[in-house]
Amino acid sequence: MERTTAQASGTARPTAPHVPDAERLRRWRMVLGADSADSAGRTLTGQDAAMDGALEALYGGGAGKKPGGRGSGGRSAGLGASAPSVARWLGDIRTYFPSSVVQVMQRDAIDRLGLAALLLEPEMLEAVEADVHLVGTLISLNKAMPETTKETARVVVRKVVEDLERRLESRTRATLTGALDRSARISRPRHRDIDWNRTIRANLKNYLPVPGADGAPPTGTIVPERLIGHGRAARSVKKDIVLCIDQSGSMAASVVHAAVFGAVLASMRTLSTRLVVFDTAVVDLTDRLDDPVDVLFGTQLGGGTDINRALAYCQSKITRPADTVVVLVSDLYEGGIRDEMLKRAAAMKASGVQFVTLLALSDEGAPAYDHEHAAALGALGAPAFACTPDLFPDVMAAAIEKRPLPIPDKETQQ
C-alpha cells in the first residue's frame, strides 16, 4: 500500500536502513520483555539473555505492568530483599550497560523496589555507580546510617564531589576573578591597568578629525579625557556572598551542587562566603565550607520549608549591602509567612543587595516550583529561574558586576 501511494504521488519516500527480520525480532523481544517471548518467536541467548534478565528483575511482571511491555510499577518477582542478590544485579548492569543507563536503573531500583535500606550496608555502597542522585539518597539516610557504613558512604560522596569540583572549579574561578577585577574599576588607573576597550568607548564623543598632509586621506584621534581601568588585585574582601539553600527533599541535587560551589567560592580570598541551609529550621554551615563532604553530611534532606525564617537569618548577617550577593536556591513552596518573605527580599534589594533566586541548581531540567511566589519575586526585580551548574559562574559574575542576569529562555523554565 505504501509503495503504491508513493508511486501515485510521484514522490519517493526515504527508506530506513534495512534491518534483517531476525534482528528486528531480537530488538522487539528486548524491548517488550519476557512475556513477549512466545509472540515474538525469539529465544535470547548469551549476553542478550543476561541483559534481559537484569532488565526483567527491575521492570518485569507484577501489578502496574504496561500492556505488551515491561512493568511500570509493582512486581511479583525480581531482586528481592537480599543484599547479595542486589549486589550481583548491580554488577551485572555495570557490565552490560553504559554508566548513564546504570545510574537511571539504580534510581529506578531505589524508587520502585524500596532498596534505600540496602544502601545502609557497606557492601552495597561499594557496588553502586556513584552520581549526584545517589549522594542525595545517602544524605537523606544519614541519620539512620550505622557507624559501620558511614565511612564507606563518605568515600562514595567524596568521589562524586571531587568529580564535580574538577569539572566546575577552574571555570568558576576564572569567571569570578574577572568579574571581581572589573567590578573594582578605578578612574585614575596606572598605564598597565587601563581597560582600553572601555576607555575608547567612553571617549568616542571626543573624536577629533585630523586633515591629511599633502593630499593624504584624513585621519583622526580620540582624546581620552576619562580613563577607565581595572582595580589592582587586592587581598581585601571585595564581595560578600550568602548562599541560602532549601534542603527539602526535592532539592537534593541542588544541595549537592551548592555545597561544591560554596567550597569553591570560600577558597577565593576576595570573597567572603556564607552557606545557610534551611527547612523549617535554619543551619549555618559556613564553618564547614573547607570540605563540601562535611557540608553535605551536615544537611538533613526532607521536612518542611520556611523561607521567611531563612531570609531573616541571612539578612541579619549582612553588613555591607552594596557589596553583598544573596543567592536563594529554592522551589519557593513556602511554609512560613509569604508576605514577610517577600518584604524581606524587597528590603534587601532596597538596601543595595544583589538578590538572586534560583529555582534549582542542577542538570535535571525544568523544576516544579511555586509560580505565584516566583512571579512576586520577579515583580520585585529578583526574577526566579532554574540554573545549571555550568551557567552558575556566569550568573554569579553578572550579580557581582551588577549586570542583568543571564536568564535562560522561558521555554526551559516551564
Side-chain angles (χ1 to χ4, degrees):
M1 177 66 72
E2 289 184 2
R3 180 178 178 181
T4 303
T5 304
Q7 289 173 337
S9 65
T11 303
R13 294 191 176 190
T15 58
H18 176 69
V19 178
D21 290 343
E23 175 62 15
R24 185 180 294 109
L25 288 174
R26 170 187 169 274
R27 294 181 183 182
W28 276 113
R29 169 62 181 79
M30 294 291 288
V31 168
L32 297 175
D35 290 347
S36 70
D38 292 338
S39 60
R42 175 77 182 184
T43 300
L44 300 178
T45 59
Q47 181 170 307
D48 285 349
M51 292 173 64
D52 186 66
L55 291 167
E56 190 68 19
L58 176 57
Y59 299 111
K65 179 183 166 192
K66 294 180 181 178
R70 297 188 183 276
S72 61
R75 41 178 293 99
S76 58
L79 301 180
S82 165
S85 66
V86 176
R88 284 195 297 272
W89 178 79
L90 288 168
D92 287 344
I93 65 174
R94 292 176 72 175
T95 299
Y96 301 125
F97 301 100
S99 177
S100 58
V101 176
V102 169
Q103 292 170 4
V104 171
M105 293 179 73
Q106 286 178 173
R107 294 201 295 273
D108 285 348
I110 292 170
D111 294 340
R112 291 167 174 265
L113 308 180
L115 296 183
L118 289 178
L119 292 177
L120 302 180
E121 301 185 22
E123 296 80 4
M124 284 290 296
L125 286 179
E126 292 172 354
V128 295
E129 186 83 18
D131 67 346
V132 169
H133 302 279
L134 179 65
V135 169
T137 300
L138 292 177
I139 299 307
S140 68
L141 296 171
N142 183 29
K143 300 300 181 184
M145 196 174 289
E147 290 299 323
T148 55
T149 305
K150 283 189 175 180
E151 190 55 40
T152 305
R154 290 184 72 89
V155 171
V156 172
V157 172
R158 188 169 298 282
K159 177 182 176 182
V160 175
V161 166
E162 289 178 349
D163 181 64
L164 287 175
E165 283 185 311
R166 281 192 296 271
R167 181 166 68 88
L168 302 172
E169 181 175 15
S170 60
R171 182 168 179 272
T172 301
R173 282 181 170 276
T175 302
L176 296 192
T177 298
L180 288 164
D181 287 344
R182 288 189 294 272
S183 69
R185 290 191 185 92
I186 54 177
S187 59
R188 293 185 178 180
R190 298 183 183 183
H191 184 271
R192 62 183 176 181
D193 294 328
I194 294 174
D195 183 337
W196 287 108
N197 288 333
R198 287 181 172 265
T199 295
I200 291 171
R201 285 199 295 270
N203 290 279
L204 286 175
K205 62 183 179 181
N206 300 323
Y207 178 82
L208 296 178
V210 178
D214 299 328
T219 59
T221 186
I222 293 176
V223 179
E225 292 182 352
R226 177 185 169 215
L227 296 177
I228 300 175
H230 301 302
R232 293 177 62 80
R235 293 180 179 272
S236 60
V237 171
K238 295 179 180 177
K239 295 289 181 179
D240 298 332
I241 308 295
V242 181
L243 301 177
C244 186
I245 314 299
D246 185 343
Q247 63 174 352
S248 56
S250 61
M251 303 295 293
S254 297
V255 172
V256 175
H257 286 109
V260 172
F261 278 118
V264 173
L265 298 178
S267 69
M268 299 178 67
R269 291 181 300 178
T270 50
L271 294 177
S272 173
T273 304
R274 181 177 297 275
L275 178 64
V276 176
V277 298
F278 67 93
D279 41 37
T280 52
V282 179
V283 181
D284 194 326
L285 296 176
T286 303
D287 60 348
R288 303 190 187 189
L289 276 176
D290 59 331
D291 187 347
V293 176
D294 281 345
V295 170
L296 290 171
F297 277 94
T299 62
Q300 179 60 57
L301 291 174
T305 308
D306 193 338
I307 304 173
N308 176 55
R309 175 177 290 187
L311 291 182
Y313 178 82
C314 294
Q315 190 176 23
S316 71
K317 299 298 180 180
I318 295 174
T319 57
R320 305 190 306 158
D323 293 315
T324 299
V325 178
V326 173
V327 182
L328 171 65
V329 183
S330 174
D331 54 19
L332 301 179
Y333 288 111
E334 172 66 316
I337 306 173
R338 174 186 184 275
D339 290 342
E340 287 297 315
M341 173 190 77
L342 296 175
K343 286 180 181 178
R344 291 192 190 281
M348 281 190 270
K349 282 195 62 65
S351 68
V353 171
Q354 294 296 107
F355 194 94
V356 179
T357 308
L358 302 181
L359 302 170
L361 180 52
S362 72
D363 288 313
E364 295 182 325
Y369 63 96
D370 189 304
H371 290 256
E372 183 180 350
H373 290 164
L377 286 169
L380 296 175
F385 57 98
C387 177
T388 65
D390 289 335
L391 180 63
F392 185 73
D394 295 325
V395 170
M396 291 302 300
I400 286 172
E401 295 184 74
K402 300 184 179 182
R403 294 187 282 107
L405 301 178
I407 301 174
D409 293 338
K410 289 185 179 180
E411 287 77 7
T412 65
Q413 306 296 313
Q414 300 303 317

